[in-house]
Structures are given as structure tokens and as C-alpha cells.
Amino acid sequence: MMKVAVARTPRMGIAAGLIAVLAASVSLAPLAASQNGKPIAVTPPGGAPVSFADLIERVSPAVVSVQVTTEMKPAERNSAFNPFRGLPGFDEYEDEFGDDAEPSPDEGREGEALGSGFFISSAGYIVTNHHVVENAREVTVTLKNGDQLEAQIVGSDEQTDLAVLKVKKSGSYPFVEFATRAKPRVGDWVVAVGNPFGLGGTATAGIVSADGRELLGGNYNDFIQIDAPINRGNSGGPTFNLNGEVIGVNTAIFSDTGGGSVGIGFAIEANAVKQIAETLIRDGKVVRGWLGVEIQSMNQRLADAWSLKTPNGAIVRSVTSGGPAEASGIKRGDIIISVNGEEVKDNRQLTQRVGSLLAGSTNNFRVIRDGKEQTVRVTVRARDDRALATTDLDPARADMKPPRPGPDDVKVAGGTIRSLTAEEIKKFDVGAAGAGLIVVTVEPRGSLARSDIFPGDAILEINNKAVKSPKDYQDAVAAAIVAGKRDVIARVGCGNQERCGDLTVLRPIEIAAAG
């Protein structure tokens, strides 16, 4: 199975400080391809390097190796949180702590980990990864000239996997700047410098192979994909453009062996790193804004069903009782399209926008409600990730079984439905008035199945209107057909599924044809 792993560094017996400089000789010839019967010619750029040696020599004094001594109790080893754990195919490299002997429950384990980092100011502030210094007891950095300096952790942020250190020895240190004026383009040359496998000062070169990558668990980051080889120990190290500016912090690698790089790595984008680093230096921690909503991304079918011009925005599928959104007047079904004038393309971008807001600040949220745009002023609060983190279903829902067919079932396209019973109304929490239909059966290739609706799910609304009976459902579909709509939007409550409250799209013509 193909695996991807966050680049982490185990204990190494190799002394840091060995320098491996990559001088890449590059020769570019004009490229030709055929398009519409005519060749496309690409002239090599005048600035194409014949060697990266000058660049590496200039920036490498700002890059450091990070050695960490850790101490953890056995019970803590598996509970420590990292935002990149649990990625499908992304196996976190776990450090080896202590010897093979099992310690007593109260005995701590000591281990070592290696990573990379780089100076961002002459005062001695260093950026690295959170997972490099996680559970650190002592931190030492090794400079290019071999000097070893003690460092302290200024602040660390699990959600972005970033941390800031500061060397304890006063002095003026060589540092590098972030490339914040323009984002790198796919195809741009990049050079990564770091401490892979304890071989400090190693440089590798390649190009930006993709941008805007989304990794599960990295909701607050935009990742740049690079093909400059990075390996275990490169974590926290910089990737440079040809101007010697940092375009990203190396964080994860793709690996089919669970070990070495196969040439695909991921770096946290420079603008995000700069913002988090400045916050950690100023405050020692990152306090994110909290809106108090559950959201889902817009897509083209939802946009078409709502007659929207673009499939951009984040749909509010539920509003937390007593939260900032409820207090400001944001409602379920609102489509948030911008925050303080910055466009929101999807739910991930809304999470980033809100997470960057200061707790207690009042902000302008542009929403679409009932087809019309309006601005809602929202005062966000501090986010409590521990209080909000829960993956458990309501116990009453978790033990629900798909309903058995009965005489009250009504045939529709793709399956059968009926009104919720009094007991089911309580389990689906649809209100005292009692609304909603339960899906009894689903045909394998019918419209319900194509919309990822399963037996035991509840259809709570059609086009933002509650449905209490199969007749309400059929009337809503008929009204959509009369209005010339190809799709209707259904709000689905979960049975034993985890996507409670999702909006999904049904094709009303297919439903009507089932008669």
C-alpha cells in the first residue's frame, strides 16, 4: 500500500555538521508540443541556473540542525496529538523512546529526535515544526560552523505544526526572509536545505510540482508540493526560491516504503508560517477565532440548484446554540462567501479565515440568504479545541438500526420513505413539532443512492422547507419541477452515519418519474 508520512527524525548516531552541497548543472533545450496542429515552442528563461552553489552558500548559515531530548511517560506516547496523524495513507513517524525494556507505569522514557530549522531574525529566533520539538525537555541547535547552542521553545502550535525557538546565547545571527510578495508558481525552481538522517547542511533541488494541496488534519495550512527530495530530519527546514527567500517549511513526505523520500514532499506556505511565527513570538501561543457553526463546502450541483453564479462559499449546516454565529444572526442555510472582504471558496478556506481572526474582534461576514447577499457583523470568540473536539455520535443515534419495511412506507424514486415515529423524532432531534422522513430502503442505482442517502437516514428538509410527511416531500419535488429546477436540495439527518445535517442534491425529474 502506498504510504505517506510526516517527515520525522529518529535518533541518529551520525554527528550533525556534515555538509553535502548539491551543485546541479542544468541544461534546458526548447520544448515543443502539438496543439491544434501547430507546435508550441518554449524559450528557456534567461535566469535558469547552471548551479545552485552560490545560493546554497549564501543561505545555509541561517539553517540549523535541531536536536531534541524528550521525556514522556508510556501512557502519553500514544495520546500526544499531532494534526497530521490519521491521514489516509499518511503514517506519522514515531520517535523511538528509550530501550526495548518496558518501564514501570511511573517511569519516564527519554529519547532523542533530530530535525531542522532556520533563523528568521538576527536576535536568534528560529522556525521549526511542532512535531520536532513536541514533548521536548531540552533543545540544542547546531549551526553551520559546528557551534552548538541551547535553545528554548518560545511557542508551539499543534494545528499548523509550527514552532518558534530562541537561542539562549545573545548575539547577531544570520537570518533569511519569507517570500510573501508573490506565491511560487508550479515549475519554479526550489532548493531545500536541512538535516536529513542527521546529515546537517544537506541541500537538494527541484521544482514546485503543485500548490494549494489539502491534507486531512491540516485545515489551517495551504501546502506546497515540491519534488526536491526531503527525508526524515528535514522537518522544520526551509525551502528556498532562487532569490534566497523561504517559500515554505518542509513538513511531510510521500513514501511508498514508509521511510525514504520518493521525490514528493509538502511544505507549509510562507505567508502562513510568517503569520504564525509572529504570533508565537508576540503571544507565545495561537488563540484562534471561533464562529460556532458546522459547515460544508459548496459544489456545482448545489450552486445550480440555488441558481448561484459560482460554486463558491461555505454552507452553514448547523449553528451552535449560544455561539457567536447565533448571537450575530447567522442562520442555518446561510452561504458564507467572504470574511472582511476576503473571498471564501470552500469550508476549509472559511476555517482558515475564521482561525486567523482575533478572539473578541468584530468582523464582516458576507452571506447569501434566500438568494440575496447581505452582511452580518460577527464578534468571534476564542476557540477551545479540547471542548469542541468530539468524534462520538449521540448514543441514541449510534445504536439506530435501519428501519424495517412496513405498511406506511411510500415508494419514491430510488427507494421508500415514511414519516418519522415519535421515538425517531427524539433521536434525530428535529424539534417538538416533529418533522422529517426516514429512508426505509434504497435501490442500489437509484437517485437516493447516487446522493449518498442510506437506509436509516432522515430527510429533514427539501429546499429549506421542513417535510413532515411523504406528501410534503412529493409536493416539494412537484414545485421544483414546475419552477424548472433540475435538482432539489435535501437536508439529511444521520442514522448511524457521521455526516449529520449535510445538504445533498436529488434530481427531481427522476423522483417524479417514480410516481
Side-chain angles (χ1 to χ4, degrees):
M1 177 182 292
M2 194 73 73
K3 294 185 178 180
V4 184
V6 172
R8 301 256 331 236
T9 308
R11 284 181 320 214
M12 300 293 298
I14 303 174
L18 296 177
I19 300 175
V21 177
L22 173 65
S25 179
V26 180
S27 176
L28 294 178
L31 304 176
S34 177
Q35 186 179 58
N36 298 326
K38 298 180 180 180
I40 299 173
V42 179
T43 303
V50 295
S51 173
F52 298 107
D54 289 341
L55 167 65
I56 295 167
E57 183 177 4
R58 206 167 68 240
V59 301
S60 58
V63 182
V64 302
S65 299
V66 180
Q67 299 89 41
V68 179
T69 301
T70 63
E71 184 174 354
M72 296 178 63
K73 291 183 179 180
E76 295 173 332
R77 295 178 66 207
N78 296 324
S79 62
F81 173 74
N82 186 288
F84 298 95
R85 289 181 184 146
L87 302 180
F90 277 64
D91 294 333
E92 175 71 35
Y93 278 110
E94 297 293 338
D95 293 330
E96 294 294 333
F97 293 94
D99 55 26
D100 294 332
E102 286 294 330
S104 65
D106 296 326
E107 181 182 350
R109 283 188 172 186
E110 183 177 292
E112 295 179 353
L114 299 180
S116 304
F118 56 97
F119 286 108
I120 60 170
S121 78
S122 61
Y125 288 100
I126 296 169
V127 166
T128 187
N129 277 143
H130 163 79
H131 75 253
V132 170
V133 298
E134 186 178 16
N135 303 301
R137 191 182 69 184
E138 296 177 358
V139 180
T140 304
V141 298
T142 302
L143 310 187
K144 180 184 177 181
N145 62 8
D147 288 350
Q148 292 189 329
L149 305 176
E150 291 185 18
Q152 62 185 19
I153 300 174
V154 175
S156 189
D157 182 45
E158 291 178 317
Q159 297 297 327
T160 55
D161 197 24
L162 292 170
V164 173
L165 313 175
K166 188 177 189 300
V167 293
K168 295 181 179 180
K169 183 179 179 180
S170 60
S172 181
Y173 297 93
F175 67 96
V176 289
E177 295 184 328
F178 292 104
T180 57
R181 290 182 294 273
K183 289 186 177 183
R185 300 169 59 199
V186 174
D188 282 352
W189 285 108
V190 292
V191 174
V193 183
N195 182 38
F197 301 109
L199 298 170
T202 299
T204 55
I207 63 169
V208 174
S209 52
D211 60 7
R213 288 299 196 206
E214 178 180 352
L215 304 183
L216 182 63
N219 287 334
Y220 294 99
N221 290 332
D222 284 325
F223 293 91
I224 301 168
Q225 181 180 315
I226 61 174
D227 72 352
I230 60 175
N231 290 279
R232 299 175 70 178
N234 275 111
S235 284
T239 290
F240 296 98
N241 61 21
L242 294 188
N243 295 322
E245 299 169 321
V246 177
I247 67 161
V249 173
N250 302 320
T251 298
I253 63 172
F254 187 94
S255 176
D256 59 353
T257 63
S261 171
V262 294
I264 297 178
F266 300 95
I268 305 169
E269 192 270 329
N271 279 287
V273 178
K274 185 174 186 293
Q275 181 184 38
I276 294 297
E278 290 174 348
T279 301
L280 291 174
I281 291 171
R282 183 182 66 245
D283 302 327
K285 61 181 180 180
V286 177
V287 180
R288 292 185 167 81
W290 175 54
L291 182 59
V293 294
E294 290 187 358
I295 53 177
Q296 71 179 91
S297 290
M298 180 67 68
N299 59 44
Q300 189 63 58
R301 289 192 68 189
L302 286 167
D304 290 343
W306 270 317
S307 300
L308 301 178
K309 295 179 181 179
T310 62
N312 293 339
I315 306 165
V316 178
R317 70 180 195 181
S318 68
V319 178
T320 303
S321 177
E326 183 184 60
S328 69
I330 286 183
K331 298 180 179 180
R332 180 169 52 79
D334 284 352
I335 305 166
I336 300 175
I337 56 175
S338 72
V339 178
N340 294 332
E342 293 186 294
E343 182 185 20
V344 170
K345 293 182 178 180
D346 53 28
N347 59 350
R348 180 167 170 266
Q349 198 167 67
L350 177 62
T351 299
Q352 292 176 330
R353 297 271 189 266
V354 174
S356 68
L357 300 176
L358 294 176
S361 64
T362 301
N363 306 272
N364 293 324
F365 283 70
R366 194 70 176 168
V367 306
I368 299 175
R369 181 181 298 166
D370 298 327
K372 298 179 181 179
E373 290 189 20
Q374 59 181 280
T375 298
V376 180
R377 299 272 290 170
V378 182
T379 301
V380 298
R381 302 178 196 165
R383 178 182 176 88
D384 186 345
D385 290 310
R386 288 175 299 178
L388 295 173
T390 176
T391 58
D392 296 331
L393 289 172
D394 184 308
R397 293 179 178 174
D399 63 3
M400 287 183 69
K401 302 296 189 295
R404 295 180 178 179
D408 295 330
D409 300 348
V410 175
K411 179 72 172 67
V412 296
T416 57
I417 59 175
R418 62 164 168 77
S419 297
L420 289 167
T421 65
E423 181 183 2
E424 290 165 347
I425 287 171
K426 292 179 181 179
K427 289 183 178 181
F428 282 100
D429 191 25
V430 294
L437 308 169
I438 195 160
V439 178
V440 182
T441 62
V442 171
E443 296 172 1
R445 291 183 293 275
S447 58
L448 296 177
R450 287 197 296 272
S451 297
D452 291 330
I453 296 176
F454 302 94
D457 286 347
I459 298 175
L460 306 176
E461 294 178 355
I462 296 291
N463 288 345
N464 291 330
K465 293 184 178 180
V467 288
K468 298 181 181 181
S469 67
K471 185 178 186 303
D472 290 342
Y473 179 90
Q474 293 166 330
D475 289 346
V477 166
I481 294 173
V482 170
K485 296 289 187 181
R486 299 182 62 199
D487 296 319
V488 296
I489 298 173
R491 185 166 71 93
V492 179
C494 65
N496 57 356
Q497 308 297 319
E498 295 188 7
R499 61 193 198 296
C500 302
D502 268 2
L503 296 176
T504 191
V505 177
L506 293 170
R507 183 57 53 89
I509 296 176
E510 296 175 358
I511 297 171

